[in-house]
């Protein structure tokens, strides 16, 4: 479904745009999305502080890399290598260099930091410096305009900047694939994973199952995984059969009509995928429902239905996958959480319990897959323009979609791009994490 964000269109119109500016109204900028063949960056990139990163960008990706800020140059991106930080005072020099070029950052520009995780074993000054990057990134993400974003990679102690997941995540954050990911710090836990031979087809040879694929975010995930080279099994309830077949045909995959809460859902999903495609590498748990009620008015039916679809089904299907012996070649589980599961949401106690559950589940499932080079991670969307959010009353909807740094709702494809990245071979070092796709929603961490 495309955006019905009339307000965004109005403030980007000539006359109406001027009026909105005069009255100090929010001025969301149209975001540029990925299309195959698009260059990684359109203009020069300033790389501060890390020679290895600068070499990677200049040599492997053939970008126009600058090591010193040139006044008046319009940079497409600034990468801050901060892995050597050992005292907060050392932040000053690179940060001031960044400050000097920010006003000239291109529309849709990118700021990406690469730093190390703070740990209780660090000396206090080291931990302070490292944790300081967190607050810094979240703040500049709130200051950037014109659809520009700021995100950070936070490397575990023994992970080099050349590790596949650092390289893959840096590329993701620099590209238009991450258009609606803003103000996020993504942990890179290990050097596991591998780089694709073709960055445009990182999922070539992989077979992916997507639940809830008949419409909305699931439909977009099916399309995006197929575009990236995967063979897709599209799963949805029998009632959505016609739409499901249309999606499966469009992505040249197969359709499986299945209620994910059925006791034999895991077995049927495995049987279909192995029989039709010979292997199973990626499972995206996207099927989800809402049954909103204040807890005082909650019925057991509404509570149980949400928990059954949104989390219990995922646990049962994962159990079937893990015990099958067929999910062992660097497998990937990507689950849909929600910012509601992080921050809580009035009227959504059941939904938030299920989505918080997803976050706990991936954290505990990831170690079970580690022996096969596998991962489990979650994506937490904020406000995304789908049939689910179209049901929100109009005034509330207008407010909800402005409550983030990009001042607009995301598109299903924004979630899909993030799922595709976490499902890719390069993301093998990202383990049990949650990546938010929320335009830096004001709620939650
Ligand atoms: P949607 O309602 O448009 O689509 C959900 C799909 O899941 C539907 O096709 C539905 O038939 C299917 N489904 C529901 N129950 C099922 C079952 N038992 N078995 C198989 N399929 C089932 O929802 P959406 O907005 O595309 O959301 C997709 C996921 O993203 C959900 O998990 C949702 O909680 C999550 N999410 C959405 C938003 C948002 O803003 N739209 C925000 C945060 C999280």
């Amino acid at each position: 479904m495309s955006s019905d964000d009339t307000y965004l269109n109005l403030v980007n119109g000539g006359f109406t745009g001027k009026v909105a500016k005069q009255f100090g109204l929010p001025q969301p900028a149209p975001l540029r999305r990925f299309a195959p063949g698009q260059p990684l960056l359109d203009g020069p990139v300033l790389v501060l502080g890390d020679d290895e990163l600068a070499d990677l960008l200049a040599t492997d990706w053939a970008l126009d890399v600058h090591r010193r800020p040139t006044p008046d140059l319009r940079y497409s991106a600034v990468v801050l290598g901060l892995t050597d930080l050992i005292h907060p005072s050392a932040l000053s020099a690179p940060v001031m260099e960044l400050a000097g070029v920010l006003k000239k950052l291109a529309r849709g520009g990118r700021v990406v930091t690469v730093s190390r995780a703070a740990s209780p074993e660090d000396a206090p000054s080291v931990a302070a410096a490292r944790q300081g990057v967190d607050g810094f990134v979240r703040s500049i993400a709130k200051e950037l305009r014109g659809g520009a974003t700021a995100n950070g990679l936070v490397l575990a102690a023994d992970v080099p900047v050349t590790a596949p997941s650092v390289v893959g995540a840096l590329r993701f954050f620099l590209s238009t694939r991450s258009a609606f990911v803003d103000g996020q710090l993504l942990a890179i836990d290990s050097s596991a994973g591998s780089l694709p031979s073709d960055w445009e087809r990182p999922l070539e040879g992989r077979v992916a199952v997507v639940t809830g694929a008949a419409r909305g975010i699931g439909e977009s995930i099916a399309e995006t995984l197929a575009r990236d080279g995967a063979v897709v099994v599209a799963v949805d309830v029998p009632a959505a059969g016609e739409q499901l077949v249309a999606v499966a045909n469009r992505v040249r995959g197969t359709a499986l009509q299945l209620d994910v809460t059925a006791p034999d859902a895991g077995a049927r999903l495995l049987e279909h995928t192995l029989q039709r495609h010979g292997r199973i590498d990626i499972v995206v748990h996207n099927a989800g429902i809402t049954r909103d009620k204040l807890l005082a008015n909650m019925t057991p039916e509404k509570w149980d239905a949400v928990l059954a679809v949104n989390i219990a089904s995922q646990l049962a299907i994962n159990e079937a996958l893990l015990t099958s012996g067929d999910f062992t070649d660097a497998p990937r589980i990507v689950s849909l959480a929600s910012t509601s599961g992080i921050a809580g949401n009035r009227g959504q106690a059941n939904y938030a319990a299920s989505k918080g559950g997803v976050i706990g589940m991936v954290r505990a499932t990831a170690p079970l897959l580690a022996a096969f080079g596998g991962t489990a991670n979650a994506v937490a969307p904020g406000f995304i323009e789908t049939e689910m959010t179209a049901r929100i009353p109009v005034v509330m909807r207008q407010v909800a979609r402005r409550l983030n740094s990009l001042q607009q709702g995301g598109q299903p494809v924004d979630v899909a791009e993030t799922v595709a990245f976490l499902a890719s071979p390069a993301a093998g070092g990202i383990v049990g994490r949650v990546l938010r796709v929320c335009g830096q929603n004001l709620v939650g961490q």
Side-chain angles (χ1 to χ4, degrees), residues 211-219 221 235-240 243-244 256-262 285-291 305 308-310 313-314 335-340 351 354-355 379-392 410 412 415 437:
T211 70
R215 68 177 201 199
I217 294 172
E219 177 181 6
I221 293 170
V235 177
D236 212 301
V237 289
Q243 277 175 292
L244 182 69
L256 172 62
Q257 294 188 10
L258 176 71
D259 182 333
V260 292
T261 63
H285 293 296
N286 164 79
I289 60 169
T290 51
R291 296 286 184 271
V309 177
N310 294 5
S313 73
Q314 300 194 16
S335 286
L336 269 287
S338 164
T339 47
S340 293
Y351 184 75
S354 72
K355 295 300 187 178
V379 174
F383 185 99
I384 306 296
E385 307 281 357
T386 65
E387 287 183 38
M388 197 183 252
T389 48
R391 286 199 297 268
I392 300 173
V415 181
V437 184

Side-chain angles (χ1 to χ4, degrees), residues 1-2 33-34 177 203 208-230 232-236 243-244 246-248 250-251 284 286 336 381 384-387 410-421 437:
M1 182 195 265
S2 66
R33 263 76 182 201
F34 178 75
R177 292 174 193 251
L203 301 179
V209 175
V210 182
T211 70
R215 68 177 201 199
I217 294 172
E219 177 181 6
S220 190
I221 293 170
E223 288 169 352
T224 306
L225 297 186
R227 180 204 68 195
D228 280 1
V232 173
V233 176
V235 177
D236 212 301
Q243 277 175 292
L244 182 69
V247 173
R250 200 165 353 108
V251 304
V284 183
N286 164 79
L336 269 287
I384 306 296
E385 307 281 357
T386 65
E387 287 183 38
Q411 293 294 323
V413 71
D414 298 323
V415 181
E417 296 284 9
T418 305
V419 169
F421 163 61
V437 184

Side-chain angles (χ1 to χ4, degrees), residues 96-141:
M96 285 301 121
E97 283 191 304
L98 170 65
V101 301
L102 271 190
K103 283 198 180 127
K104 287 264 168 189
L105 194 65
R107 278 183 85 77
R110 298 282 186 263
V111 176
V112 185
T113 60
V114 182
S115 62
R116 294 234 174 253
S119 105
E121 287 86 55
D122 291 335
S125 61
V126 176
R130 291 175 172 176
Q131 194 65 39
V133 174
D134 190 289
F136 164 69
V137 170
R138 292 175 198 270
S139 297
I140 55 170

Side-chain angles (χ1 to χ4, degrees), residues 207-210 231-236 244-245 248 252-258 264-280 321 326:
V207 176
V209 175
V210 182
V231 171
V232 173
V233 176
V235 177
D236 212 301
L244 182 69
V245 169
R252 295 168 189 275
T254 55
L256 172 62
Q257 294 188 10
L258 176 71
D264 62 348
R268 286 187 49 203
L269 185 155
L270 270 159
E271 189 189 70
H272 171 99
T273 311
L274 294 173
Q275 262 181 18
R276 300 292 293 272
H277 307 290
R279 55 187 293 139
I280 177 166
L321 291 169
D326 290 309

Side-chain angles (χ1 to χ4, degrees), residues 159-438:
V159 175
V161 296
T162 50
S165 289
V166 181
V167 173
L170 178 59
R171 200 174 164 100
F172 173 71
F173 279 144
L174 288 176
S175 78
T176 49
R177 292 174 193 251
S178 62
F180 199 60
V181 183
D182 197 11
Q184 301 307 304
L185 284 302
L186 178 63
I188 311 290
D189 302 287
S190 82
S191 300
S194 56
L195 294 180
S197 50
D198 179 356
W199 282 106
E200 295 243 327
R201 306 270 299 170
L203 301 179
E204 197 73 65
R206 308 286 279 169
V207 176
V209 175
V210 182
T211 70
R215 68 177 201 199
I217 294 172
E219 177 181 6
S220 190
I221 293 170
E223 288 169 352
T224 306
L225 297 186
R227 180 204 68 195
D228 280 1
V231 171
V232 173
V233 176
V235 177
D236 212 301
V237 289
E242 227 171 273
Q243 277 175 292
L244 182 69
V245 169
V247 173
N249 286 345
R250 200 165 353 108
V251 304
R252 295 168 189 275
T254 55
L256 172 62
Q257 294 188 10
L258 176 71
D259 182 333
V260 292
T261 63
D264 62 348
R268 286 187 49 203
L269 185 155
L270 270 159
E271 189 189 70
H272 171 99
T273 311
L274 294 173
Q275 262 181 18
R276 300 292 293 272
H277 307 290
R279 55 187 293 139
I280 177 166
D281 304 295
I282 298 162
V283 172
V284 183
H285 293 296
N286 164 79
I289 60 169
T290 51
R291 296 286 184 271
D292 295 359
K293 275 279 169 217
L294 294 176
L295 188 61
N297 303 327
M298 186 67 72
T299 62
E301 292 73 30
K302 285 192 162 50
W303 180 274
D304 291 344
V306 168
L307 273 288
V309 177
N310 294 5
I311 179 67
S313 73
Q314 300 194 16
L315 287 164
I317 290 171
N318 288 352
E319 180 74 26
L321 291 169
L322 283 158
T323 53
S324 68
D326 290 309
F327 197 57
T328 51
D329 184 7
R332 300 275 184 269
I333 291 174
V334 187
S335 286
L336 269 287
S338 164
T339 47
S340 293
I342 298 169
N345 201 10
R346 191 170 184 272
Q348 288 200 317
N350 51 355
Y351 184 75
S354 72
K355 295 300 187 178
V358 164
I359 294 170
M361 180 196 72
V362 295
R363 207 181 290 139
T365 304
L368 308 177
L369 293 164
F372 320 117
T375 66
N377 289 290
V379 174
F383 185 99
I384 306 296
E385 307 281 357
T386 65
E387 287 183 38
M388 197 183 252
T389 48
R391 286 199 297 268
I392 300 173
V394 63
V395 175
M396 259 170 79
R397 189 161 79 237
Q398 270 299 351
V399 173
R401 59 158 72 103
R402 301 293 156 234
L403 291 180
N404 63 65
S405 297
L406 297 169
Q407 301 177 324
Q408 59 194 287
Q411 293 294 323
V413 71
D414 298 323
V415 181
E417 296 284 9
T418 305
V419 169
F421 163 61
L422 290 172
S424 72
I430 302 163
V431 183
R433 300 290 176 176
V434 185
L435 185 50
R436 291 174 52 149
V437 184
C438 64

